[in-house]
Amino acid sequence: MNALAPITASRRADFPGIADWSYLDTAATAQKPQAVIDAIASAYGPEYATVHRGVYARSAAMTERFEAARNTAACFINASSPNEIVFVRGATEAINLVAQTWGMGLKAGDRILLSRLEHHSNIVPWQLLRDRTGIEIDVAPLTADHRIDEDALEAMLTPAHRLVAVAHVSNVLGSVADIARIARAAHAVGAKLLVDGCQAVPRMGVDVQALGADFYAFSGHKLYGPTGIGVLWARGDILLAMPPWQGGGSMIETVTFEKTTYAPAPTRFEAGTPHIVGAVGLAAAMDYVSAIGLDAIDAHERHLAGIARAELRKVNSLRLFGPEDSSGIVSFAMEGVHPHDIGTILDEEGVAIRAGHHCAQPLMDVLGVPATARASFGVYNDESDVERLLRGIARVKRIFG
Ligand SMILES: Cc1ncc(COP(=O)(O)O)c(C=O)c1O
């Protein structure tokens, strides 16, 4: 057992949703610790009121909590100001927001560069933008071990590129991109860098300033927080220059039928009553993982992914995808067995994995399979979960011969 075992052994007890279940689907959504559930219950219970509008004390207190959550999020990713944090529904909404506001400043002849391993939420918003503006989309290839090929990406960049948009950590493979290098390459040709940080924030410390990103997007529910809340971070100067997105209450300064003026960022991008309790729950989740330490979580998940890969490799007719140093996510396929059948048999053994294309169909084409089985780890997992996974795989082998 590694040095982190005592921490994670006690972490399982923090999660009322787990008991003795081997939950290996954290990349889809993480289970919630009691601290987050308590924060949500209290925010919907004795603390509940609207924000930003009420003149009564409860509303003022809730407004303070909501804005404190923004501050927690800013500190969590080392933003230079809480005003750089826009609360959104999740990573999908964050990327669509950028495409539909900042992106509308692009024109035919401009290009954006993605990679082959992107989640659909970092592909389709750009295709919609392409349909509206006439921009072109380029796609950087992967290396043989399924990382973004950063040499090729650099070589593809031209002054026509206005944006590079890539995942920090692949949701299928756990491969980690060298974001600082990609940022330097993007900036060298005058392009901005958007990072889909959905799978990075739950498993490694993220410092948006050190990375040199311009936009960073993630969802709360993969970070042990609630669904329906996430963060779009953008550098202050970029955010301030972006036109409004959805119109409605809260995002305005003054409204007349002749002319409306808009609030500064981030309020300008938060039309309507926000997900107040979601923001409070997200801050509780950030406090929870920060107290464990993101470096410890990263090391722990890599350790579990490493053992899983080493043992799965011994199973003949099983193909492993992704790099050896995968950060907490392991995808594989078994010859002659559909990943859904693997998932169903593992479920009977008390092991939850994900089977499918993981919203990354272009990546499946690169891997040469329609779907994979994916085990992804979290703070509540330990080596017993890997052992159970392997016992389940042995049963799959027995059943399918
Ligand atoms: C890498 C990555 N990007 C984006 C998303 C979309 O996140 P959400 O559905 O929470 O908006 C996911 C979710 O699976 C993901 O793993």
Side-chain angles (χ1 to χ4, degrees), residues 109-343:
D110 290 338
R111 310 185 78 87
I112 66 173
L113 180 56
L114 310 176
S115 89
R116 291 228 170 262
L117 57 67
E118 299 309 312
H119 189 280
H120 296 164
S121 62
N122 197 26
I123 299 174
V124 183
W126 307 116
Q127 292 174 323
L128 293 170
L129 181 66
R130 176 178 63 189
D131 296 345
R132 282 178 199 145
T133 59
I135 61 165
E136 302 284 342
I137 296 175
D138 299 308
V139 187
L142 306 184
T143 58
D145 66 348
H146 307 141
R147 304 166 190 276
I148 298 174
D149 186 334
E150 285 147 13
D151 292 335
L153 180 144
E154 272 188 28
M156 288 173 79
L157 280 169
T158 68
H161 284 97
R162 303 288 309 281
L163 181 76
V164 177
V166 291
H168 196 165
V169 173
S170 159
N171 64 311
V172 179
L173 309 163
S175 43
V176 184
D178 183 347
I179 294 300
R181 177 183 176 187
I182 296 174
R184 283 192 299 275
H187 295 156
V189 297
K192 303 269 184 281
L193 174 64
L194 179 142
V195 181
D196 171 356
C198 243
Q199 300 294 346
V201 287
R203 41 183 61 86
M204 58 184 62
V206 168
D207 177 335
V208 288
Q209 296 189 68
L211 290 172
D214 298 295
F215 302 99
Y216 201 95
F218 60 94
S219 300
H221 68 101
K222 294 176 198 283
L223 179 57
Y224 308 95
T227 51
I229 187 81
V231 166
L232 168 66
W233 168 84
R235 256 191 20 233
D237 55 324
I238 299 174
L239 206 55
L240 278 178
M242 275 162 46
W245 183 41
Q246 295 176 329
S250 303
M251 48 78 73
I252 54 87
E253 263 170 5
T254 60
V255 177
T256 66
F257 277 104
E258 288 68 41
K259 184 174 164 58
T260 290
T261 57
Y262 304 110
T267 325
R268 186 191 309 165
F269 302 105
E270 294 179 356
T273 305
H275 189 357
I276 305 165
V277 176
V280 171
L282 176 59
M286 288 171 167
D287 287 343
Y288 177 81
V289 292
S290 298
I292 301 173
L294 270 303
D295 287 348
I297 295 173
D298 187 22
H300 177 68
E301 290 194 24
R302 282 177 190 274
H303 171 68
L304 294 179
I307 316 177
R309 285 185 73 91
E311 293 300 320
L312 287 169
R313 180 169 298 107
K314 296 177 188 160
V315 180
N316 58 21
S317 78
L318 187 147
R319 240 180 105 196
L320 271 174
F321 303 108
E324 282 315 307
D325 61 348
S326 157
S327 100
I329 302 173
V330 178
S331 257
F332 57 94
M334 291 172 80
E335 210 179 303
V337 191
H338 195 282
H340 284 162
D341 292 327
I342 301 175

